[in-house]
Amino acid sequence: MAIKLVLSAKTIGDRIFKGVPRGYDPYEVDKFLDQIIADYERVEANHLLTKAELENLERRISELEKRNSELELEVGRYKTKYSNVKPTDTVTDENLNYIKRINTLERFLWQNGFNPNTIK
């Protein structure tokens, strides 16, 4: 949401009013306009900061959306890879020890020239 200001701090500061016999005190008008200028400068500075923050956040959103899509693809690969695992399957220390032992025995067979896949 862009802020469109009609006046700028410079426009307000450069404005000259015609003098009239029964007008306002020029000193009070200048003092009031100085306060308005200060407010405008704060609004303009805030607008520039907000614009920079918005651009930064939009860039970050783009990066996160890209990362999210990469993670979704990775989740899909894992779901496919582990689709045969049943929720009732449990992994215990005993099961892991069996797998380690089988792995060690298979390595021994390979090192001695036997293919463990062909042994029946």
Side-chain angles (χ1 to χ4, degrees), residues 22-117:
R22 294 185 186 210
Y24 296 101
D25 179 15
Y27 177 75
E28 287 184 30
V29 172
D30 285 343
K31 190 173 160 183
F32 182 69
L33 289 177
D34 288 341
Q35 291 174 346
I36 294 173
I37 289 170
D39 284 347
Y40 261 79
E41 288 172 345
R42 279 192 291 267
V43 167
E44 289 171 345
N46 187 27
H47 174 66
L48 292 176
L49 287 174
T50 305
K51 186 176 179 182
E53 288 176 3
L54 179 64
E55 290 171 355
N56 186 27
L57 289 173
E58 286 174 345
R59 181 185 51 78
R60 183 73 176 131
I61 286 171
S62 175
E63 292 171 0
L64 289 173
E65 285 175 342
K66 180 180 176 186
R67 180 69 178 137
N68 188 34
S69 64
E70 291 170 357
L71 289 173
E72 286 176 354
L73 289 174
E74 190 173 343
V75 166
R77 285 192 296 268
Y78 279 115
K79 281 183 178 179
T80 304
K81 184 176 180 179
Y82 296 109
S83 62
N84 59 349
V85 176
K86 300 175 191 92
T88 57
D89 292 345
T90 57
V91 178
T92 63
D93 288 335
E94 187 178 353
N95 292 352
L96 291 176
N97 288 333
Y98 286 140
I99 292 172
K100 288 177 186 176
R101 187 169 175 202
I102 291 169
N103 186 29
T104 304
L105 293 171
E106 284 181 343
R107 258 190 284 140
F108 177 77
L109 289 172
W110 280 109
Q111 289 171 352
N112 290 309
F114 296 101
N115 183 354
N117 297 325

